[in-house]
Amino acid sequence: MLTKEQIAKRISKEIKHGQYINLGIGIPTLVANYIPSKIEVVLQSENGLLGIGPFPKEMDVDPDLINAGKQTISIIPGSSIFDSAQSFAMIRGGHVDLTILGAMEVSEFGDIANWKIPGKMVKGMGGAMDLVSSAKNIIVAMQHCSKDGQSKLLPTCTLPITGIRCVKKIVTDLAVLEINPSGGFVLLERAPGVTIEEIKLKTAGNLIVPNQVLEINLD
Amino acid sequence: MLTKEQIAKRISKEIKHGQYINLGIGIPTLVANYIPSKIEVVLQSENGLLGIGPFPKEMDVDPDLINAGKQTISIIPGSSIFDSAQSFAMIRGGHVDLTILGAMEVSEFGDIANWKIPGKMVKGMGGAMDLVSSAKNIIVAMQHCSKDGQSKLLPTCTLPITGIRCVKKIVTDLAVLEINPSGGFVLLERAPGVTIEEIKLKTAGNLIVPNQVLEINLD
Amino acid sequence: MIQKTVKSAEEAVADISDGAKLMMGGFGLCGIPENCIQALLKKEVQALTIISNNAGVDNFGIGLFLKKRMVKKMISSYVGENAEFERQLLSGEIEVDLVPQGTLAERIRAGGAGIPAFYTPAGVGTEVAFGKETRTFDGKQFLLETGLTADFALIKAWKGDTAGNLIFKGTAMNFNPIMATAGKITIAEVEELVPAGGLNPNEIHTPGIFVQRIFQGKGYEKRIENRTVSF
Amino acid sequence: MIQKTVKSAEEAVADISDGAKLMMGGFGLCGIPENCIQALLKKEVQALTIISNNAGVDNFGIGLFLKKRMVKKMISSYVGENAEFERQLLSGEIEVDLVPQGTLAERIRAGGAGIPAFYTPAGVGTEVAFGKETRTFDGKQFLLETGLTADFALIKAWKGDTAGNLIFKGTAMNFNPIMATAGKITIAEVEELVPAGGLNPNEIHTPGIFVQRIFQGKGYEKRIENRTVSF
């Protein structure tokens, strides 16, 4: 089983030189820590920044510089500031190459639910609906099962959805999976110490198991 | 009969303190010369400037500072620069208070034609269609008749129109007229030395003559 | 140059009354109009409709309006971080219209730009699409969304001049410039107010035409929601 | 930071070929990409579709393309000041799509911003409305207009950095920033190219994400169409 940090590390291997990337709140934010320094990418924050840097030193904290998770941040040389309309013009216009975000549920057709639990949670969708309806490539980072043990990889989402047929890949604590265009979770890699049987058991949606399933490589 | 300069001067009296104004090419551009210094207004140029100043001294000419007529200009303190989308956002959004422009024809319902003569002239509408469809107040500056003596104030426009039911007031070399909301040119003022009879003769559209018609005051 | 200066936040908001529809700049607590918020709290106006990306936190920003029950309806994209809000919402004391953040931004820009409606892919196939026209362009589905305007837009900039021109700093920009365009009356508070001509025309983010009133704010707290540092 | 620098205009336009759809920044001759225009003239590409507010003058700017018969179609708002253009148009050698200037600007912005279509009042009741959907919002009529994109956007900025960030100067800004967002490949030429980090992030007009290639231009003529001076 992978820790949150290891999920982030595995996702970092999907990143290619020259990409503009939007990282969601939670595990996706951790991905930034594992991008190799020789790969140059630019992180977009939908509140109006291209070029997110590391968290600042205490003395450099600037309340006028935050990310979309409202965390204080620094900026890197070559960064730029813009308003919210311009920010989503970038996202909607397909200029952001990769979106990595968390989810409460993913369906075997790539639908995603991550913004609402009826009667319980009403925080809102923030920028997630814009991101998933527009991004060229969407990777979901999440636990394979919820805290009470229910699979989060489903035939269809039970929660109100954020977007339809948009997720391309999912990295969980148990596995790396790809959405099959005609439906189904294709098992690409399994976490060290996790059997295919366990993944089958914990995947409520249709799991497609190819002949070869590699172990996730975290080096 | 008024000269072009006198038409411009008469129109300048329509301008109120605090207005943002777009001046078209030709006579409208001359209006800027007659705005009293105690009345503060800001002139917008649709190529991306608020705060047009006088034409520059020879030594101050900057090819990167032109108005919509492609004339070199200066800018006044407090001016701002923006792109073409933002410029027409201002115009379309109703932020510009007054538009003054030239016309080839105006109909008695306030339709205006000023962008095309089929088979003869194909210069294009520039920003005129955006301006006339959005401005709160539109004043037309033009000669009462064309060079071959035809009235330019018509029952309906014969040329392809630029916008419908948008002109509020017309200042010509002969008269100041207002568009009656249910149709017709209301004669408000006549130029010095011009009789109501002459204006009637030279107005092809329905001319409404009130009991009192003042002489245009150019002081 | 047309002068837009008013003396104080109190003077700026004097004609905001019960039932007004307000846009308020800021993302979380970053770039919010702190002085106008204080002045409105003192006035205790009621039944406000507030268009703002977030709803502040329990004890700061718009959260203070919620505590005083000044808000009838929120139009926002994300309203977490606020227990009192969640309580009022679940109990039905407050209406909320949740709008995808990019759609919210674009609707505000459209409102200011005289665009009555536009198509966007965000929300297709979700609850957000209920009751909205769906239309296909080039094989992809989009929703029709309408422009938004407000009686007043309350925004916060870094620098401004007496002609109403504004410059923002860092991510405190966010929704402020677009809201400036969409208020029938736009009130800007700035950290530093200079005479017209004191700002470089090429560096201005919000041209003065969009701003009806401007004043120099004071005592900015700039609270931080998630202070996160590296060592 | 991702590096966008190319060595020259020739390298930047190397893959622009016959039949390409180009956006070209500038208003009249102000803020036009002079170096890219020269490089394309040398290549003598054919059958171009050009989206540009104007068509240059007889002997400068896009007018030079027209002289060499490189243009199949122009999409513009105003094409006066160009006798050769008028000749080609009246003789049917060139197609022209005349679009109201604000609609042209908004269509380009929409194309770059993933908005497939929007409603605008410009052109209602005129020839421009032929074949277009008309729709009433709040008692006023509007036309449906679609977003525009291009294979390449050729733009000119004042300063730029190696990450593709751009700053414009004066009214040479005009259509350049919006076209930057709407090119599949955007090529920016700048008067001064600095390393990434050399520009103030708050002063950047076009974020580097929109620019795929950038180079420092040379020998700018900056011709003036109507030199008008006061004494």
Side-chain angles (χ1 to χ4, degrees):
Chain A
M1 280 201 1
L2 304 190
T3 62
K4 287 181 182 181
E5 286 73 18
Q6 288 173 320
I7 294 175
K9 193 172 181 187
R10 174 60 189 82
I11 289 177
S12 73
K13 292 175 188 291
E14 302 288 320
I15 289 172
K16 293 184 186 70
H17 184 80
Q19 286 185 322
Y20 289 87
I21 305 172
N22 184 290
L23 300 177
I25 297 168
I27 300 175
T29 301
L30 299 174
V31 173
N33 302 332
Y34 300 102
I35 302 171
S37 60
K38 64 183 173 193
I39 289 186
E40 295 204 311
V41 299
V42 177
L43 303 179
Q44 199 243 20
S45 195
E46 67 262 30
N47 55 322
L49 171 65
L50 273 170
I52 306 176
F55 295 124
K57 305 272 179 209
E58 181 66 45
M59 55 189 274
D60 295 325
V61 165
D62 179 353
D64 291 336
L65 276 180
I66 63 169
N67 64 17
K70 284 104 177 177
Q71 294 172 307
T72 45
I73 49 163
S74 69
I75 57 176
I76 62 173
S79 64
S80 56
I81 294 290
F82 35 86
D83 67 44
S84 300
Q86 175 80 303
S87 182
F88 283 91
M90 275 173 207
I91 290 167
R92 226 188 293 101
H95 304 281
V96 175
D97 301 296
L98 176 61
T99 288
I100 302 171
L101 78 174
M104 299 193 284
E105 295 177 350
V106 176
S107 87
E108 65 190 43
F109 290 98
D111 299 349
I112 178 173
N114 73 348
W115 76 282
K116 187 179 183 181
I117 304 173
K120 268 196 193 164
M121 190 203 72
V122 287
K123 291 186 192 306
M125 67 292 280
M129 285 193 182
D130 308 276
L131 282 159
V132 301
S133 66
S134 303
K136 292 176 227 166
N137 191 9
I138 297 171
I139 300 177
V140 164
M142 66 175 187
Q143 304 302 319
H144 211 94
C145 297
S146 63
K147 278 172 193 160
D148 57 358
Q150 299 296 308
S151 176
K152 296 166 74 173
L153 291 85
L154 306 172
T156 55
C157 291
T158 63
L159 294 170
I161 64 170
T162 309
I164 49 172
R165 293 174 178 256
C166 53
V167 175
K168 295 278 184 293
K169 212 170 242 188
I170 306 150
V171 179
T172 74
D173 50 338
L174 304 184
V176 179
L177 310 104
E178 193 174 61
I179 297 293
N180 184 31
S182 56
F185 299 100
V186 181
L187 181 60
L188 298 180
E189 301 169 22
R190 57 181 180 75
V194 175
T195 64
I196 292 175
E197 279 314 302
E198 181 180 351
I199 295 166
K200 264 189 189 160
L201 208 70
K202 294 185 172 172
T203 302
N206 175 26
L207 188 74
I208 300 168
V209 183
N211 290 333
Q212 200 188 30
V213 178
L214 298 174
E215 190 176 279
I216 293 173
N217 177 3
L218 289 168
D219 296 339
Chain B
M1 279 204 353
L2 303 191
T3 62
K4 286 182 182 182
E5 286 72 20
Q6 287 173 320
I7 293 175
K9 191 170 181 187
R10 173 60 190 82
I11 290 177
S12 73
K13 293 176 188 291
E14 301 289 318
I15 290 172
K16 294 185 186 68
H17 184 80
Q19 284 185 325
Y20 289 87
I21 305 172
N22 183 290
L23 300 178
I25 298 169
I27 301 176
T29 302
L30 300 175
V31 173
N33 301 333
Y34 300 102
I35 302 172
S37 60
K38 63 183 176 194
I39 289 187
E40 295 204 311
V41 298
V42 177
L43 303 180
Q44 200 243 21
S45 195
E46 66 263 30
N47 55 322
L49 168 66
L50 274 171
I52 307 175
F55 295 123
K57 305 272 179 209
E58 181 66 45
M59 55 189 274
D60 295 326
V61 165
D62 179 353
D64 291 337
L65 276 181
I66 63 169
N67 65 16
K70 285 105 177 178
Q71 294 172 307
T72 45
I73 49 162
S74 70
I75 56 176
I76 62 172
S79 65
S80 56
I81 294 290
F82 36 85
D83 67 44
S84 301
Q86 175 79 304
S87 182
F88 283 92
M90 276 172 205
I91 290 166
R92 225 189 293 101
H95 305 280
V96 175
D97 302 296
L98 175 61
T99 288
I100 302 171
L101 78 175
M104 299 192 285
E105 295 177 352
V106 175
S107 87
E108 64 189 45
F109 290 97
D111 300 349
I112 177 172
N114 72 349
W115 75 282
K116 188 179 183 180
I117 304 172
K120 268 196 194 166
M121 188 204 74
V122 287
K123 291 185 191 306
M125 68 292 280
M129 285 193 183
D130 309 275
L131 282 158
V132 300
S133 66
S134 303
K136 292 176 227 165
N137 191 8
I138 297 171
I139 301 177
V140 164
M142 66 176 189
Q143 303 302 320
H144 211 93
C145 296
S146 62
K147 279 172 193 162
D148 57 358
Q150 298 298 308
S151 176
K152 296 167 73 173
L153 291 86
L154 307 172
T156 54
C157 291
T158 63
L159 294 170
I161 63 170
T162 308
I164 47 172
R165 292 176 179 259
C166 53
V167 175
K168 295 277 184 295
K169 213 171 240 185
I170 305 150
V171 179
T172 74
D173 50 337
L174 304 184
V176 178
L177 312 104
E178 192 174 60
I179 297 293
N180 184 33
S182 56
F185 300 99
V186 181
L187 181 61
L188 299 181
E189 301 170 21
R190 56 178 181 76
V194 175
T195 63
I196 291 175
E197 278 316 301
E198 180 180 354
I199 295 166
K200 264 190 190 160
L201 208 69
K202 294 184 173 174
T203 302
N206 175 26
L207 187 75
I208 300 169
V209 184
N211 290 333
Q212 198 186 32
V213 177
L214 298 174
E215 189 176 280
I216 294 173
N217 178 1
L218 288 168
D219 297 338
Chain C
M1 253 306 153
I2 303 166
Q3 300 296 311
K4 310 288 180 72
T5 320
V6 294
K7 277 195 295 293
S8 63
E10 288 69 25
E11 183 184 338
V13 305
D15 54 352
I16 299 182
S17 52
D18 292 357
K21 187 173 178 186
L22 311 181
M23 285 185 185
M24 297 182 68
F27 186 95
L29 302 179
C30 184
I32 59 174
E34 295 187 19
N35 282 245
C36 282
I37 290 173
Q38 286 305 323
L40 283 173
L41 279 170
K42 264 194 256 171
K43 272 175 70 94
E44 298 203 18
V45 282
Q46 301 293 313
L48 297 173
T49 293
I50 295 184
I51 301 167
S52 164
N53 188 57
N54 310 89
V57 296
D58 278 336
N59 56 3
F60 204 62
I62 296 171
L64 299 170
F65 288 2
L66 296 167
K67 233 180 201 161
K68 285 201 168 184
R69 315 273 175 100
M70 291 161 58
V71 184
K72 186 182 72 178
K73 181 176 181 180
M74 287 291 310
I75 300 175
S76 303
S77 87
Y78 190 83
V79 292
E81 293 36 294
N82 192 317
E84 172 64 15
F85 179 88
E86 210 155 347
R87 195 198 60 69
Q88 291 188 24
L89 176 54
L90 293 171
S91 71
E93 290 166 55
I94 193 170
E95 265 181 88
V96 63
D97 190 357
L98 288 171
V99 180
Q101 193 175 145
T103 299
L104 183 62
E106 192 67 14
R107 290 180 67 191
I108 294 165
R109 182 198 173 269
I115 301 290
F118 60 90
Y119 291 92
T120 178
V124 167
T126 76
E127 281 185 13
V128 166
F130 289 173
K132 285 179 190 152
E133 177 190 319
T134 303
R135 186 157 172 170
T136 301
F137 294 92
D138 258 342
K140 185 174 172 175
Q141 284 192 303
F142 296 85
L143 300 183
L144 183 68
E145 296 278 2
T146 56
L148 274 177
T149 56
D151 300 322
F152 295 86
L154 311 182
I155 64 170
K156 154 73 174 51
W158 180 44
K159 289 185 184 178
D161 71 16
T162 53
N165 294 301
L166 304 177
I167 294 178
F168 302 89
K169 175 176 155 274
T171 56
M173 176 185 271
N174 57 66
F175 279 83
N176 282 296
I178 48 175
M179 287 182 171
T181 72
K184 285 185 200 85
I185 303 283
T186 290
I187 300 168
E189 55 177 275
V190 299
E191 293 182 52
E192 187 187 347
L193 184 63
V194 303
L199 303 177
N200 179 339
N202 293 299
E203 294 173 8
I204 287 166
H205 296 121
T206 292
I209 192 172
F210 295 119
V211 174
Q212 280 68 49
R213 300 170 194 167
I214 190 167
F215 67 94
Q216 182 162 321
K218 55 192 176 191
Y220 285 101
E221 282 192 50
K222 294 194 181 181
R223 286 206 202 165
I224 292 171
E225 274 183 77
N226 291 325
R227 178 179 291 266
T228 316
V229 297
S230 64
F231 300 99
Chain D
M1 252 308 152
I2 303 165
Q3 299 296 311
K4 309 289 179 70
T5 320
V6 294
K7 278 194 294 293
S8 63
E10 287 70 25
E11 184 185 339
V13 306
D15 55 351
I16 298 183
S17 51
D18 292 357
K21 188 174 178 185
L22 311 182
M23 284 185 185
M24 299 183 67
F27 186 96
L29 302 179
C30 183
I32 60 173
E34 294 187 19
N35 282 243
C36 283
I37 290 173
Q38 286 305 324
L40 284 173
L41 279 171
K42 265 194 257 172
K43 272 175 70 92
E44 297 203 20
V45 282
Q46 301 294 314
L48 297 172
T49 293
I50 295 184
I51 301 168
S52 165
N53 188 58
N54 309 89
V57 294
D58 278 334
N59 56 1
F60 204 61
I62 296 171
L64 299 171
F65 289 1
L66 296 168
K67 233 181 200 160
K68 285 201 167 185
R69 315 272 175 100
M70 290 162 58
V71 184
K72 187 181 70 177
K73 181 176 181 179
M74 288 291 310
I75 301 176
S76 304
S77 86
Y78 191 82
V79 292
E81 292 38 292
N82 192 317
E84 172 63 17
F85 179 89
E86 210 154 345
R87 193 198 61 71
Q88 291 187 22
L89 177 54
L90 292 172
S91 71
E93 290 166 55
I94 193 170
E95 264 181 87
V96 62
D97 191 359
L98 289 171
V99 180
Q101 193 175 147
T103 299
L104 182 63
E106 192 67 12
R107 289 181 67 190
I108 294 165
R109 183 199 172 268
I115 302 290
F118 60 90
Y119 291 92
T120 178
V124 167
T126 77
E127 279 185 15
V128 165
F130 289 173
K132 286 180 189 148
E133 177 189 319
T134 303
R135 187 157 172 168
T136 302
F137 294 93
D138 259 344
K140 184 173 172 174
Q141 283 192 306
F142 297 85
L143 298 184
L144 183 68
E145 295 279 2
T146 56
L148 274 177
T149 56
D151 301 321
F152 295 86
L154 310 182
I155 64 169
K156 154 73 172 51
W158 179 45
K159 289 184 183 178
D161 71 16
T162 53
N165 295 301
L166 304 177
I167 295 178
F168 301 89
K169 173 176 157 276
T171 56
M173 176 185 271
N174 56 66
F175 279 82
N176 282 295
I178 49 173
M179 288 184 172
T181 71
K184 285 185 199 85
I185 304 283
T186 290
I187 300 169
E189 55 178 272
V190 299
E191 292 182 53
E192 187 186 348
L193 184 64
V194 302
L199 303 176
N200 180 340
N202 293 299
E203 293 174 8
I204 287 167
H205 296 121
T206 292
I209 191 171
F210 296 119
V211 175
Q212 280 67 49
R213 300 170 195 167
I214 189 167
F215 67 94
Q216 182 164 320
K218 54 191 178 192
Y220 285 102
E221 282 193 49
K222 296 194 182 181
R223 286 206 202 165
I224 293 172
E225 275 183 77
N226 292 324
R227 178 180 291 266
T228 316
V229 297
S230 64
F231 301 97

